[in-house]
Each structure stands twice: as structure tokens, then as C-alpha cells.
């Protein structure tokens, strides 16, 4: 009879290894918390700041519905995007509801490229007015769930103007009362880590001055310069951003046209699916994996107007689908007529994948043998996919319960196990 094995490593050995890995433990805890499980908008709409009114979202929704009705309706749009009649009918009814009730999920009042240089007097007035109108829309319940501004970049010629607009907008909002829960601030044309550190200082000072909790003002970074992807020392400055200002950056947004132009891509070939775009976006994914920072793809400037509505819809729908397949769950929309194809393509993506994802999730939860042996990481991905479908309105909680056998709280825990009470 063989002797029972004895443990070779003593408590002192474990203590030494714990000590060796203490820095790693702190790094993972502080810098790689994972996604927080909150809703991510599926798109961001940009409008010049001075054109915003509290009714803008509803106005865009009405224009989107009118465009769809004028071109055969939402079911025909679904067919244009390659969806089956059954899938298209389910998508169309949900898109119609979305356009009538929440046509814009994330709105950016633009003081940068979409606004231009109008002089300090005009921009000062527009920044203060924008804050007042945002506060009015939030109070009236007409504001999108996420709303904020993009101000001018921190390069020397526009730095003071950008900071002034940021200051006036936030200060006026703070004076009006509690800041909107979905407030978003966007820093464009970032080229160096130092510019992000400067933004961190600016928002920290605004928090201090206005008595806001530390970390209340988070911001997005627009990735639209090659210097942020590959720095002069051969490393990627992008990968440093989450760690030099931990917890401050909420998202990275890819800027299709500025980035493409900076690499000398001719205008005809500038696109979200150009190889240079894919390289940049894959670098973005690697840089923020596990940090909880969200990602957004860019836009297409091919707009569904005039004689090109259906062709533009097909292109937009295909690009939205392509982004979703590559792990980019958000993108930019520039015109009301892009809303139908945004929602139709997104809803089709989640509804098409729901039956298989839900079945695999049920098999995993119930420990039932199926055609696929899913690992815990894959189960998290399946649950996250279904949860995103619920959060954007493509899928109903009742459907998830029926198909996967789990409710919303269980689904959320499966998608984000670190947030579950038993793991807290």
C-alpha cells in the first residue's frame, strides 16, 4: 500500500509567494476590475452644440420614422439588411417602439469639429446655454440616458478654448443642480499620455471647486491620431492610459476620418473597415481589456438621403453588424436617417443569436450535456451577449427567462460574476 503523500510547501513558502505577488494582486484589483455591468449605449449621436433643444431626441426619432415609412417601412428595411421575414417582423416592431420612445441613447453636443471657431463671446454663451438646456431636458425627461459635450482638443492652439468651454459647461450644470447621471465628457484628438493626465487634473479641480465626489467626472478619449497607437519610443501610449489615470476614462472612441487622413488614406477609401482602422481598433481592445473601459467604433459619412437611402442603409447595417461581430458594441451616428439601420442591425444581431446563446447558457447553468462544452469564460460571454440584448431593447426579460431559464439578476451575475454578492 502506497504511503499517503505529504505536503512539501510550508506556510512560509506560501507567505513568500504571496509577498512576491503582492504587486500583481494590487495591479489586478485596482487596474483590471472588469466591466461594471452597467448599460452601455449602442451609439453616440453628434450635433453642433448650438442646435440642441430639449426636443431634439424626439425630433430625430420622428424624422427617422418618416424616412423609414417613406421607403417601405421597417420590415422592408430589415429585408434590405438580409434578415428573414420572421426575424425582420420581430426586429421591426421593436425598432418602431425604440424610435418612438428612446431614439437617441447617447448624445454629444459638439463644440469641436461640428461647431468650429466662432469666437470666444459666441462659444462662451453657447456653452452656458447648452448646460441650461441639458438641465432642462433632464428635468423634463426628454434627454437621452447619456448626454454631454465634446470640447476642443488640448493641442496648443485650442487648449485654452477647450478648457474654458469644459469649465463653463460643467460649472453651469453644477449651478443648476445635481449633475445628470449619464453625463459624458469627450476629449478629442489625443496624441499623448500627458494630455490625458492634464484632463484628469482639470476634472479633479472642477470636482474640488464644485464639491463633487472624487471620480464623479469621468471622460472619454477619442483615438484619432497615430501617435496614440504607436509612440516615438516604439510602445503604445494607449496601453498606459488606464493606468496613469485609473478610474477616470469611461471609454475610447475611434475617429474614423481623422485617423485615416493622418495615415494618408485617400478620402475615397477612408472607412471603418479599412485595414488601418482594424489595426487601431484591435490595439484599443488589447489596451483596455479587463479595465472596464468601454469601446466605440466610429461613423460612416455615407448618409441615407436623396436617391441613396437604401444603399446607405445596406452599408450602415453591414458596418454595424461587422463592428458587433468584432466586439465593438457602440458606434457613431450622424443623421436621423441612420437611426433605423442602427437599431435594425443591432436588434437583428442580438435576436438572431439569442436562441443558440440562451440554449448554451441553460445547458451551462443546469449542467446539462449539450453539443458544446462551455467553459466559465464562455458562459460569461454568452450571458454578457444576452444581457446587452436586454439592455438595448432587442430582447425581453421574459424571453430570456423562457429560453435560458434565468431572470435578469441571475443573468447579470453570470455575465459579471465579480459583482455577485457571493464574490464581493
Amino acid at each position: 500500500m502506497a504511503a499517503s503523500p505529504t505536503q512539501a510547501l510550508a506556510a512560509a513558502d506560501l507567505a513568500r509567494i504571496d509577498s512576491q505577488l503582492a504587486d500583481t494582486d494590487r495591479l489586478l484589483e485596482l487596474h483590471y476590475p472588469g466591466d461594471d455591468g452597467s448599460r452601455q449605449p449602442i451609439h453616440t449621436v453628434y450635433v453642433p452644440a448650438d442646435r440642441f433643444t430639449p426636443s431634439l431626441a424626439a425630433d430625430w426619432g420622428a424624422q427617422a420614422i418618416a424616412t423609414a415609412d417613406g421607403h417601405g417601412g421597417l420590415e422592408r428595411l430589415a429585408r434590405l439588411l438580409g434578415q428573414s421575414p420572421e426575424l425582420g417582423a420581430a426586429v421591426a416592431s421593436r425598432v418602431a417602439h425604440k424610435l418612438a420612445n428612446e431614439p437617441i441613447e447617447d448624445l454629444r453636443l459638439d463644440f469641436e469639429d461640428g461647431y468650429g471657431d466662432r469666437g470666444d463671446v459666441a462659444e462662451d454663451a453657447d456653452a452656458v446655454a447648452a448646460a441650461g438646456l441639458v438641465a432642462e431636458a433632464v428635468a423634463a425627461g426628454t434627454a437621452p440616458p447619456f448626454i454631454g459635450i465634446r470640447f476642443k482638443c488640448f493641442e496648443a492652439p485650442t487648449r485654452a478654448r477647450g478648457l474654458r468651454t469644459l469649465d463653463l459647461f460643467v460649472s453651469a450644470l453644477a449651478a443648476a443642480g445635481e449633475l445628470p447621471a449619464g453625463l459624458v465628457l469627450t476629449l478629442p484628438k489625443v496624441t499623448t499620455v500627458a494630455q490625458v493626465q492634464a484632463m484628469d487634473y482639470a476634472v479633479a479641480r472642477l470636482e474640488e471647486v464644485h464639491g463633487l465626489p472624487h471620480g464623479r467626472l469621468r471622460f472619454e478619449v477619442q483615438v484619432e491620431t497615430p501617435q496614440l497607437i504607436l509612440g516615438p519610443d516604439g510602445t503604445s501610449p494607449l496601453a498606459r492610459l488606464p493606468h496613469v489615470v485609473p478610474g477616470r476614462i469611461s471609454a475610447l472612441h475611434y475617429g474614423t476620418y481623422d485617423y485615416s487622413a493622418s495615415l494618408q488614406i485617400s478620402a475615397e477609401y477612408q472607412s471603418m473597415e479599412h485595414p488601418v482602422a482594424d489595426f487601431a481598433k484591435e490595439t484599443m481592445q488589447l489596451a483596455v481589456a479587463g479595465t472596464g473601459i468601454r469601446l466605440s467604433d466610429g461613423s460612416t459619412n455615407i448618409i441615407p438621403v436623396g436617391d441613396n437611402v437604401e444603399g446607405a442603409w445596406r452599408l450602415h447595417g453591414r458596418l454595424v453588424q461587422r463592428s458587433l461581430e468584432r466586439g465593438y458594441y457602440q458606434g457613431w451616428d450622424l443623421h436621423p436617417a441612420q437611426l433605423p439601420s442602427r437599431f435594425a442591425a443591432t436588434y437583428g444581431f442580438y435576436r438572431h443569436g439569442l436562441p443558440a446563446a440562451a440554449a448554451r447558457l441553460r445547458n451551462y447553468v443546469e449542467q446539462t450535456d449539450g453539443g458544446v462544452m462551455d467553459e466559465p469564460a464562455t458562459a460569461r460571454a454568452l450571458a454578457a451577449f444576452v444581457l446587452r440584448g436586454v439592455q438595448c431593447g432587442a430582447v425581453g426579460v421574459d424571453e430570456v427567462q423562457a429560453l435560458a431559464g434565468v431572470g435578469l439578476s441571475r443573468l447579470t451575475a453570470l455575465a459579471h460574476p465579480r459583482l455577485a454578492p457571493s464574490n464581493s
Side-chain angles (χ1 to χ4, degrees):
M1 182 175 179
S4 298
T6 57
Q7 186 172 337
L9 297 177
D13 298 315
L14 175 59
R16 177 171 178 170
I17 291 172
D18 281 341
S19 177
Q20 288 178 321
L21 296 180
D23 289 343
T24 295
D25 294 340
R26 283 191 292 271
L27 174 70
L28 294 175
E29 181 180 359
L30 296 177
H31 293 265
Y32 295 96
D35 193 273
D36 65 6
S38 62
R39 175 186 179 186
Q40 178 180 5
I42 68 170
H43 71 162
T44 300
V45 165
Y46 274 79
V47 297
D50 62 320
R51 296 185 188 176
F52 173 71
T53 67
S55 67
L56 184 137
D59 295 341
W60 272 51
Q63 293 176 56
I65 291 170
T67 303
D69 289 345
H71 290 81
L74 291 169
E75 288 196 41
R76 184 165 186 276
L77 168 58
R79 292 196 298 274
L80 287 173
L81 300 186
Q83 297 173 8
S84 68
E86 181 182 7
L87 176 60
V91 165
S93 64
R94 286 167 172 78
V95 173
H97 182 268
K98 184 73 170 180
L99 292 175
N101 293 277
E102 193 182 71
I104 297 177
E105 293 193 357
D106 182 24
L107 180 64
R108 207 67 72 251
L109 284 59
D110 192 13
F111 283 95
E112 202 225 2
D113 286 346
Y115 181 87
D117 183 358
R118 307 188 188 187
D120 286 340
V121 173
E123 187 161 339
D124 284 354
D126 285 339
V128 174
L133 290 170
V134 167
E136 179 183 335
V138 170
T142 62
F146 303 90
I147 190 168
I149 64 167
R150 177 173 71 170
F151 44 93
K152 291 177 175 63
C153 75
F154 281 2
E155 293 177 359
T158 56
R159 184 182 304 142
R161 179 64 262 178
L163 283 165
R164 184 174 176 84
T165 297
L166 168 67
D167 185 352
L168 288 170
F169 178 79
V170 172
S171 297
L173 264 185
E178 187 175 353
L179 297 181
L183 177 64
V184 188
L185 305 171
T186 303
L187 177 65
K189 293 182 175 59
V190 175
T191 56
T192 66
V193 172
Q195 289 173 335
V196 171
Q197 291 172 309
M199 178 63 178
D200 175 59
Y201 172 80
V203 293
R205 282 287 294 132
L206 288 170
E207 289 169 347
E208 182 181 359
V209 170
H210 295 295
L212 301 171
H214 178 74
R216 174 63 181 87
L217 297 177
R218 303 182 72 199
F219 56 89
E220 299 172 336
V221 171
Q222 281 197 255
V223 181
E224 44 191 343
T225 69
Q227 292 84 2
L228 198 58
I229 298 296
L230 187 65
D233 62 353
T235 66
S236 177
L238 197 64
R240 294 181 56 203
L241 297 188
H243 312 293
V244 296
V245 290
R248 270 300 181 196
I249 300 172
S250 58
L252 302 181
H253 284 230
Y254 176 66
T256 305
Y257 298 100
D258 280 277
Y259 187 81
S260 299
S262 69
L263 292 178
Q264 305 301 310
I265 308 300
S266 62
E268 181 180 358
Y269 299 103
Q270 293 175 6
S271 167
M272 295 160 59
E273 57 185 341
H274 193 283
V276 301
D278 285 339
F279 177 80
K281 288 182 285 188
E282 288 164 5
T283 303
M284 291 164 62
Q285 285 178 299
L286 287 169
V288 301
T291 65
I293 295 173
R294 268 74 182 270
L295 296 167
S296 176
D297 210 334
S299 61
T300 175
N301 58 7
I302 307 301
I303 305 300
V305 297
D307 296 332
N308 192 39
V309 172
E310 294 184 5
W313 271 343
R314 288 192 185 96
L315 172 64
H316 189 224
R318 180 172 63 76
L319 291 173
V320 171
Q321 174 80 21
R322 186 179 190 273
S323 297
L324 291 167
E325 290 173 356
R326 285 158 174 75
Y328 273 75
Y329 300 105
Q330 185 176 350
W332 291 8
D333 291 327
L334 306 176
H335 191 276
Q338 289 184 320
L339 300 183
S341 46
R342 168 69 62 183
F343 291 118
T346 302
Y347 284 16
F349 174 77
Y350 288 112
R351 293 202 63 80
H352 176 76
L354 175 64
R360 289 173 64 181
L361 199 57
R362 179 185 282 273
N363 288 339
Y364 178 83
V365 170
E366 298 179 355
Q367 296 294 294
T368 303
D369 289 336
V372 182
M373 293 182 64
D374 285 317
E375 298 287 338
T378 304
R380 290 196 298 272
L382 290 166
F385 170 85
V386 176
L387 181 61
R388 285 182 182 275
V390 171
Q391 289 173 332
C392 75
V395 174
V397 175
D398 55 339
E399 294 179 282
V400 177
Q401 182 70 59
L403 293 172
V406 296
L408 183 59
S409 60
R410 177 66 169 138
L411 179 67
T412 303
L414 287 165
H416 306 286
R418 292 182 64 174
L419 304 179
S422 61
N423 293 292
S424 61

